[in-house]
Amino acid sequence: LTRDIFISLTPFALLLCLAAILSYHRSDNSGKDALVFGAIFLAGFIVETAGVNTGKIFGNYAYGDGLGLKIFNTPLLIGVNWVVLAYSTSILTYKLSVPRVLRIPAASSLMVLYDLIMEQVAPVMRMWSFEDGIPLKNYIAWFGLALVFHSVIYIAGLRFSNRIAAFIFVIQGIFFLILYFIFRITS
């Protein structure tokens, strides 16, 4: 009965996660961090806009109304999603003490795992849906973009910490996994 209400709150939940992450962000160079994550926001939005309007990057898909205001058929918040995921997976691989040489592919793999889970509930939550199922190139593109974004973070030499970013990532992943099982049971 309350599904539509909760779906309409999705953009606010994503913004709340961003606000929480920002409030716990610690860095010696927040200006540089803002520049890099601003670039990730912009690049994520541009790639998603190209993807949704051509079908060539991720496959043929369309955004619903679940992520709020759209420009060029793309929700503005999709850039925020890329930032939150790149940021939190960077933190998570650091907290898990992943060897330095494996941090970029490990963090990128975590982002693809998250996408794999989220893709299962995105249509039901009216975030987005694919025309003919989720193609493999969607996950390849996600991994490639994640590699680029994490490489930029590494090359820029960002050194930041955050007590809650990894927790938010894990909780969101569990949330979407629970939704997946609930939607499977109730449909």
Side-chain angles (χ1 to χ4, degrees):
L1 294 173
T2 60
R3 182 181 294 184
D4 287 339
I5 293 169
F6 283 98
I7 289 171
S8 70
L9 293 175
T10 301
F12 301 107
L14 186 54
L15 288 173
L16 184 61
C17 287
L18 177 65
I21 285 171
L22 289 175
S23 69
Y24 283 89
H25 176 76
R26 301 294 175 260
S27 173
D28 293 335
N29 194 343
S30 290
K32 188 177 187 182
D33 296 352
L35 184 64
V36 169
F37 286 108
I40 290 172
F41 169 87
L42 190 58
F45 180 79
I46 289 169
V47 169
E48 291 282 352
T49 299
V52 77
N53 287 295
T54 66
K56 295 189 185 298
I57 299 170
F58 303 102
N60 293 318
Y61 68 109
Y63 283 105
D65 61 356
L67 290 174
L69 177 68
K70 290 187 271 189
I71 297 177
F72 306 117
N73 303 315
T74 309
L76 280 174
L77 286 180
I78 206 65
V80 170
N81 191 53
W82 280 104
V83 168
V84 167
L85 292 175
Y87 184 98
S88 59
T89 52
S90 291
I91 293 285
L92 187 57
T93 56
Y94 180 77
K95 284 187 178 285
L96 294 174
S97 299
V98 173
R100 183 175 294 252
V101 70
L102 296 177
R103 281 195 189 143
I104 291 172
S108 301
S109 296
L110 285 171
M111 285 179 65
V112 172
L113 177 62
Y114 182 92
D115 183 53
L116 181 67
I117 295 167
M118 199 158 108
E119 292 289 2
Q120 309 310 308
V121 298
V124 179
M125 295 183 68
R126 297 194 306 259
M127 292 191 286
W128 63 81
S129 59
F130 284 86
E131 283 181 20
D132 300 315
I134 307 161
L136 179 60
K137 75 178 181 177
N138 173 66
Y139 301 110
I140 294 169
W142 258 77
F143 187 73
L145 279 171
L147 281 174
V148 168
F149 293 158
H150 286 290
S151 295
V152 168
I153 292 167
Y154 179 79
I155 291 167
L158 299 189
R159 302 281 184 259
F160 54 90
S161 63
N162 193 306
R163 291 185 352 215
I164 66 166
F167 178 73
I168 287 175
F169 176 80
V170 171
I171 291 299
Q172 282 184 336
I174 291 169
F175 172 74
F176 286 118
L177 200 55
I178 290 169
L179 283 181
Y180 168 73
F181 289 117
I182 288 172
F183 292 154
R184 295 249 337 189
I185 292 168
T186 60
S187 59

